[in-house]
PDB file of all heavy atoms in Angstrom:
ATOM      1  N   GLU A 125      57.405  98.094 149.074  1.00 98.00           N
ATOM      2  CA  GLU A 125      56.155  97.545 149.500  1.00 98.00           C
ATOM      3  C   GLU A 125      56.195  97.036 150.963  1.00 98.00           C
ATOM      4  O   GLU A 125      55.160  97.209 151.684  1.00 98.00           O
ATOM      5  CB  GLU A 125      55.757  96.319 148.611  1.00 98.00           C
ATOM      6  CG  GLU A 125      55.393  96.707 147.188  1.00 98.00           C
ATOM      7  CD  GLU A 125      56.643  96.877 146.282  1.00 98.00           C
ATOM      8  OE1 GLU A 125      57.752  96.661 146.747  1.00 98.00           O
ATOM      9  OE2 GLU A 125      56.408  97.220 145.081  1.00 98.00           O
ATOM     10  N   LEU A 126      57.249  96.418 151.409  1.00 98.00           N
ATOM     11  CA  LEU A 126      57.252  95.797 152.730  1.00 98.00           C
ATOM     12  C   LEU A 126      57.066  96.807 153.817  1.00 98.00           C
ATOM     13  O   LEU A 126      56.298  96.568 154.801  1.00 98.00           O
ATOM     14  CB  LEU A 126      58.511  94.926 152.945  1.00 98.00           C
ATOM     15  CG  LEU A 126      58.519  93.691 152.028  1.00 98.00           C
ATOM     16  CD1 LEU A 126      59.774  92.860 152.296  1.00 98.00           C
ATOM     17  CD2 LEU A 126      57.267  92.873 152.204  1.00 98.00           C
ATOM     18  N   PRO A 127      57.696  97.997 153.788  1.00 98.00           N
ATOM     19  CA  PRO A 127      57.430  99.016 154.864  1.00 98.00           C
ATOM     20  C   PRO A 127      55.952  99.350 154.913  1.00 98.00           C
ATOM     21  O   PRO A 127      55.376  99.467 156.042  1.00 98.00           O
ATOM     22  CB  PRO A 127      58.283 100.196 154.427  1.00 98.00           C
ATOM     23  CG  PRO A 127      59.444  99.593 153.690  1.00 98.00           C
ATOM     24  CD  PRO A 127      58.846  98.451 152.913  1.00 98.00           C
ATOM     25  N   VAL A 128      55.293  99.453 153.764  1.00 98.00           N
ATOM     26  CA  VAL A 128      53.876  99.804 153.751  1.00 98.00           C
ATOM     27  C   VAL A 128      53.073  98.686 154.368  1.00 98.00           C
ATOM     28  O   VAL A 128      52.162  98.908 155.157  1.00 98.00           O
ATOM     29  CB  VAL A 128      53.426 100.094 152.300  1.00 98.00           C
ATOM     30  CG1 VAL A 128      51.933 100.321 152.209  1.00 98.00           C
ATOM     31  CG2 VAL A 128      54.183 101.317 151.687  1.00 98.00           C
ATOM     32  N   ALA A 129      53.415  97.454 154.005  1.00 98.00           N
ATOM     33  CA  ALA A 129      52.679  96.263 154.519  1.00 98.00           C
ATOM     34  C   ALA A 129      52.838  96.168 156.059  1.00 98.00           C
ATOM     35  O   ALA A 129      51.845  95.854 156.730  1.00 98.00           O
ATOM     36  CB  ALA A 129      53.207  94.980 153.862  1.00 98.00           C
ATOM     37  N   ILE A 130      53.994  96.483 156.602  1.00 98.00           N
ATOM     38  CA  ILE A 130      54.102  96.280 158.041  1.00 98.00           C
ATOM     39  C   ILE A 130      53.447  97.477 158.779  1.00 98.00           C
ATOM     40  O   ILE A 130      53.004  97.323 159.911  1.00 98.00           O
ATOM     41  CB  ILE A 130      55.590  96.106 158.495  1.00 98.00           C
ATOM     42  CG1 ILE A 130      56.458  97.395 158.338  1.00 98.00           C
ATOM     43  CG2 ILE A 130      56.240  94.923 157.837  1.00 98.00           C
ATOM     44  CD1 ILE A 130      57.716  97.339 159.176  1.00 98.00           C
ATOM     45  N   VAL A 131      53.366  98.628 158.140  1.00 98.00           N
ATOM     46  CA  VAL A 131      52.613  99.763 158.755  1.00 98.00           C
ATOM     47  C   VAL A 131      51.140  99.452 158.749  1.00 98.00           C
ATOM     48  O   VAL A 131      50.421  99.681 159.679  1.00 98.00           O
ATOM     49  CB  VAL A 131      52.986 101.069 158.013  1.00 98.00           C
ATOM     50  CG1 VAL A 131      51.981 102.165 158.387  1.00 98.00           C
ATOM     51  CG2 VAL A 131      54.387 101.536 158.398  1.00 98.00           C
ATOM     52  N   ALA A 132      50.645  98.855 157.630  1.00 98.00           N
ATOM     53  CA  ALA A 132      49.240  98.550 157.489  1.00 98.00           C
ATOM     54  C   ALA A 132      48.782  97.492 158.480  1.00 98.00           C
ATOM     55  O   ALA A 132      47.665  97.460 158.949  1.00 98.00           O
ATOM     56  CB  ALA A 132      48.890  98.076 156.066  1.00 98.00           C
ATOM     57  N   THR A 133      49.697  96.592 158.872  1.00 97.00           N
ATOM     58  CA  THR A 133      49.306  95.488 159.754  1.00 97.00           C
ATOM     59  C   THR A 133      49.809  95.700 161.192  1.00 97.00           C
ATOM     60  O   THR A 133      49.848  94.758 162.004  1.00 97.00           O
ATOM     61  CB  THR A 133      49.753  94.131 159.209  1.00 97.00           C
ATOM     62  OG1 THR A 133      51.100  94.228 158.773  1.00 97.00           O
ATOM     63  CG2 THR A 133      48.887  93.698 158.041  1.00 97.00           C
ATOM     64  N   ASP A 134      50.197  96.935 161.559  1.00 97.00           N
ATOM     65  CA  ASP A 134      50.593  97.235 162.889  1.00 97.00           C
ATOM     66  C   ASP A 134      51.661  96.330 163.460  1.00 97.00           C
ATOM     67  O   ASP A 134      51.581  95.832 164.596  1.00 97.00           O
ATOM     68  CB  ASP A 134      49.401  97.194 163.872  1.00 97.00           C
ATOM     69  CG  ASP A 134      48.370  98.299 163.498  1.00 97.00           C
ATOM     70  OD1 ASP A 134      48.775  99.440 163.387  1.00 97.00           O
ATOM     71  OD2 ASP A 134      47.119  97.941 163.332  1.00 97.00           O
ATOM     72  N   ALA A 135      52.690  96.094 162.654  1.00 98.00           N
ATOM     73  CA  ALA A 135      53.828  95.266 163.079  1.00 98.00           C
ATOM     74  C   ALA A 135      54.685  95.971 164.057  1.00 98.00           C
ATOM     75  O   ALA A 135      54.556  97.200 164.274  1.00 98.00           O
ATOM     76  CB  ALA A 135      54.601  94.852 161.853  1.00 98.00           C
ATOM     77  N   THR A 136      55.581  95.209 164.723  1.00 98.00           N
ATOM     78  CA  THR A 136      56.552  95.763 165.634  1.00 98.00           C
ATOM     79  C   THR A 136      57.971  95.389 165.154  1.00 98.00           C
ATOM     80  O   THR A 136      58.211  94.216 164.808  1.00 98.00           O
ATOM     81  CB  THR A 136      56.349  95.188 167.053  1.00 98.00           C
ATOM     82  OG1 THR A 136      54.988  95.445 167.427  1.00 98.00           O
ATOM     83  CG2 THR A 136      57.278  95.860 168.025  1.00 98.00           C
ATOM     84  N   VAL A 137      58.833  96.368 165.061  1.00 98.00           N
ATOM     85  CA  VAL A 137      60.168  96.132 164.587  1.00 98.00           C
ATOM     86  C   VAL A 137      61.120  96.043 165.819  1.00 98.00           C
ATOM     87  O   VAL A 137      61.118  96.929 166.649  1.00 98.00           O
ATOM     88  CB  VAL A 137      60.619  97.277 163.697  1.00 98.00           C
ATOM     89  CG1 VAL A 137      62.042  97.036 163.137  1.00 98.00           C
ATOM     90  CG2 VAL A 137      59.605  97.477 162.536  1.00 98.00           C
ATOM     91  N   SER A 138      61.885  94.938 165.925  1.00 98.00           N
ATOM     92  CA  SER A 138      62.836  94.838 167.023  1.00 98.00           C
ATOM     93  C   SER A 138      64.219  95.155 166.574  1.00 98.00           C
ATOM     94  O   SER A 138      64.709  94.582 165.522  1.00 98.00           O
ATOM     95  CB  SER A 138      62.810  93.382 167.574  1.00 98.00           C
ATOM     96  OG  SER A 138      61.530  93.135 168.138  1.00 98.00           O
ATOM     97  N   VAL A 139      64.839  96.065 167.248  1.00 98.00           N
ATOM     98  CA  VAL A 139      66.279  96.415 166.944  1.00 98.00           C
ATOM     99  C   VAL A 139      67.065  96.196 168.171  1.00 98.00           C
ATOM    100  O   VAL A 139      66.604  96.379 169.303  1.00 98.00           O
ATOM    101  CB  VAL A 139      66.381  97.909 166.381  1.00 98.00           C
ATOM    102  CG1 VAL A 139      65.417  98.127 165.204  1.00 98.00           C
ATOM    103  CG2 VAL A 139      66.104  98.859 167.514  1.00 98.00           C
ATOM    104  N   ARG A 140      68.325  95.830 167.929  1.00 98.00           N
ATOM    105  CA  ARG A 140      69.194  95.500 169.077  1.00 98.00           C
ATOM    106  C   ARG A 140      70.540  96.215 168.988  1.00 98.00           C
ATOM    107  O   ARG A 140      71.053  96.370 167.876  1.00 98.00           O
ATOM    108  CB  ARG A 140      69.394  93.980 169.161  1.00 98.00           C
ATOM    109  CG  ARG A 140      69.619  93.504 170.566  1.00 98.00           C
ATOM    110  CD  ARG A 140      69.817  91.983 170.537  1.00 98.00           C
ATOM    111  NE  ARG A 140      68.662  91.181 170.244  1.00 98.00           N
ATOM    112  CZ  ARG A 140      68.715  89.899 169.930  1.00 98.00           C
ATOM    113  NH1 ARG A 140      69.882  89.248 169.953  1.00 98.00           N
ATOM    114  NH2 ARG A 140      67.625  89.266 169.587  1.00 98.00           N
ATOM    115  N   SER A 141      71.067  96.645 170.101  1.00 98.00           N
ATOM    116  CA  SER A 141      72.401  97.179 170.180  1.00 98.00           C
ATOM    117  C   SER A 141      73.071  96.512 171.361  1.00 98.00           C
ATOM    118  O   SER A 141      72.372  95.716 172.124  1.00 98.00           O
ATOM    119  CB  SER A 141      72.447  98.652 170.334  1.00 98.00           C
ATOM    120  OG  SER A 141      72.017  99.017 171.615  1.00 98.00           O
ATOM    121  N   ARG A 142      74.312  96.797 171.638  1.00 97.00           N
ATOM    122  CA  ARG A 142      74.925  96.204 172.850  1.00 97.00           C
ATOM    123  C   ARG A 142      74.240  96.689 174.092  1.00 97.00           C
ATOM    124  O   ARG A 142      74.259  96.043 175.130  1.00 97.00           O
ATOM    125  CB  ARG A 142      76.420  96.491 172.889  1.00 97.00           C
ATOM    126  CG  ARG A 142      77.157  95.444 172.126  1.00 97.00           C
ATOM    127  CD  ARG A 142      78.561  95.676 171.924  1.00 97.00           C
ATOM    128  NE  ARG A 142      79.358  96.129 173.013  1.00 97.00           N
ATOM    129  CZ  ARG A 142      80.669  96.310 173.003  1.00 97.00           C
ATOM    130  NH1 ARG A 142      81.347  96.069 171.898  1.00 97.00           N
ATOM    131  NH2 ARG A 142      81.302  96.775 173.990  1.00 97.00           N
ATOM    132  N   GLY A 143      73.539  97.824 174.023  1.00 96.00           N
ATOM    133  CA  GLY A 143      72.810  98.345 175.121  1.00 96.00           C
ATOM    134  C   GLY A 143      71.484  97.632 175.447  1.00 96.00           C
ATOM    135  O   GLY A 143      70.877  97.899 176.472  1.00 96.00           O
ATOM    136  N   GLY A 144      71.039  96.850 174.482  1.00 98.00           N
ATOM    137  CA  GLY A 144      69.765  96.184 174.699  1.00 98.00           C
ATOM    138  C   GLY A 144      68.849  96.228 173.470  1.00 98.00           C
ATOM    139  O   GLY A 144      69.330  96.604 172.385  1.00 98.00           O
ATOM    140  N   GLU A 145      67.596  95.773 173.680  1.00 98.00           N
ATOM    141  CA  GLU A 145      66.683  95.650 172.571  1.00 98.00           C
ATOM    142  C   GLU A 145      65.609  96.672 172.670  1.00 98.00           C
ATOM    143  O   GLU A 145      65.127  96.940 173.812  1.00 98.00           O
ATOM    144  CB  GLU A 145      66.084  94.229 172.473  1.00 98.00           C
ATOM    145  CG  GLU A 145      65.187  94.030 171.336  1.00 98.00           C
ATOM    146  CD  GLU A 145      64.944  92.530 171.004  1.00 98.00           C
ATOM    147  OE1 GLU A 145      65.924  91.736 170.936  1.00 98.00           O
ATOM    148  OE2 GLU A 145      63.771  92.172 170.824  1.00 98.00           O
ATOM    149  N   ARG A 146      65.189  97.241 171.550  1.00 98.00           N
ATOM    150  CA  ARG A 146      64.000  98.169 171.511  1.00 98.00           C
ATOM    151  C   ARG A 146      62.997  97.576 170.636  1.00 98.00           C
ATOM    152  O   ARG A 146      63.327  97.016 169.538  1.00 98.00           O
ATOM    153  CB  ARG A 146      64.414  99.548 170.961  1.00 98.00           C
ATOM    154  CG  ARG A 146      65.336 100.309 171.748  1.00 98.00           C
ATOM    155  CD  ARG A 146      65.271 101.817 171.348  1.00 98.00           C
ATOM    156  NE  ARG A 146      65.837 102.064 170.021  1.00 98.00           N
ATOM    157  CZ  ARG A 146      65.539 103.098 169.237  1.00 98.00           C
ATOM    158  NH1 ARG A 146      64.544 103.945 169.667  1.00 98.00           N
ATOM    159  NH2 ARG A 146      66.123 103.299 168.056  1.00 98.00           N
ATOM    160  N   ARG A 147      61.741  97.670 171.017  1.00 98.00           N
ATOM    161  CA  ARG A 147      60.653  97.246 170.148  1.00 98.00           C
ATOM    162  C   ARG A 147      59.834  98.450 169.695  1.00 98.00           C
ATOM    163  O   ARG A 147      59.315  99.188 170.550  1.00 98.00           O
ATOM    164  CB  ARG A 147      59.702  96.243 170.894  1.00 98.00           C
ATOM    165  CG  ARG A 147      60.430  94.875 171.114  1.00 98.00           C
ATOM    166  CD  ARG A 147      59.624  93.936 171.983  1.00 98.00           C
ATOM    167  NE  ARG A 147      58.262  93.714 171.496  1.00 98.00           N
ATOM    168  CZ  ARG A 147      57.978  92.883 170.473  1.00 98.00           C
ATOM    169  NH1 ARG A 147      58.959  92.194 169.872  1.00 98.00           N
ATOM    170  NH2 ARG A 147      56.769  92.718 170.105  1.00 98.00           N
ATOM    171  N   ILE A 148      59.870  98.677 168.355  1.00 98.00           N
ATOM    172  CA  ILE A 148      59.325  99.965 167.865  1.00 98.00           C
ATOM    173  C   ILE A 148      58.071  99.640 166.993  1.00 98.00           C
ATOM    174  O   ILE A 148      58.151  98.867 166.017  1.00 98.00           O
ATOM    175  CB  ILE A 148      60.364 100.665 167.031  1.00 98.00           C
ATOM    176  CG1 ILE A 148      61.631 100.879 167.885  1.00 98.00           C
ATOM    177  CG2 ILE A 148      59.891 101.981 166.477  1.00 98.00           C
ATOM    178  CD1 ILE A 148      62.902 101.046 167.098  1.00 98.00           C
ATOM    179  N   PRO A 149      56.955 100.324 167.262  1.00 98.00           N
ATOM    180  CA  PRO A 149      55.802 100.119 166.363  1.00 98.00           C
ATOM    181  C   PRO A 149      56.168 100.548 164.942  1.00 98.00           C
ATOM    182  O   PRO A 149      56.844 101.596 164.754  1.00 98.00           O
ATOM    183  CB  PRO A 149      54.725 101.070 166.940  1.00 98.00           C
ATOM    184  CG  PRO A 149      55.189 101.317 168.354  1.00 98.00           C
ATOM    185  CD  PRO A 149      56.670 101.229 168.362  1.00 98.00           C
ATOM    186  N   ALA A 150      55.729  99.791 163.954  1.00 98.00           N
ATOM    187  CA  ALA A 150      56.115 100.101 162.577  1.00 98.00           C
ATOM    188  C   ALA A 150      55.770 101.558 162.152  1.00 98.00           C
ATOM    189  O   ALA A 150      56.512 102.171 161.494  1.00 98.00           O
ATOM    190  CB  ALA A 150      55.449  99.104 161.614  1.00 98.00           C
ATOM    191  N   GLY A 151      54.677 101.997 162.699  1.00 97.00           N
ATOM    192  CA  GLY A 151      54.202 103.403 162.365  1.00 97.00           C
ATOM    193  C   GLY A 151      55.177 104.458 162.885  1.00 97.00           C
ATOM    194  O   GLY A 151      55.068 105.585 162.424  1.00 97.00           O
ATOM    195  N   GLU A 152      55.983 104.117 163.832  1.00 98.00           N
ATOM    196  CA  GLU A 152      56.984 105.096 164.339  1.00 98.00           C
ATOM    197  C   GLU A 152      58.403 104.820 163.893  1.00 98.00           C
ATOM    198  O   GLU A 152      59.322 105.487 164.292  1.00 98.00           O
ATOM    199  CB  GLU A 152      56.925 105.033 165.913  1.00 98.00           C
ATOM    200  CG  GLU A 152      55.577 105.481 166.458  1.00 98.00           C
ATOM    201  CD  GLU A 152      55.498 105.113 167.945  1.00 98.00           C
ATOM    202  OE1 GLU A 152      56.530 104.933 168.632  1.00 98.00           O
ATOM    203  OE2 GLU A 152      54.327 105.006 168.431  1.00 98.00           O
TER     204      GLU A 152
END
Side-chain angles (χ1 to χ4, degrees):
Chain A
E125 292 82 3
L126 294 180
V128 174
I130 69 164
V131 165
T133 46
D134 296 308
T136 304
V137 182
S138 294
V139 305
R140 211 181 290 167
S141 70
R142 271 170 48 175
E145 183 161 312
R146 291 200 290 156
R147 289 173 56 78
I148 303 158
E152 296 165 20

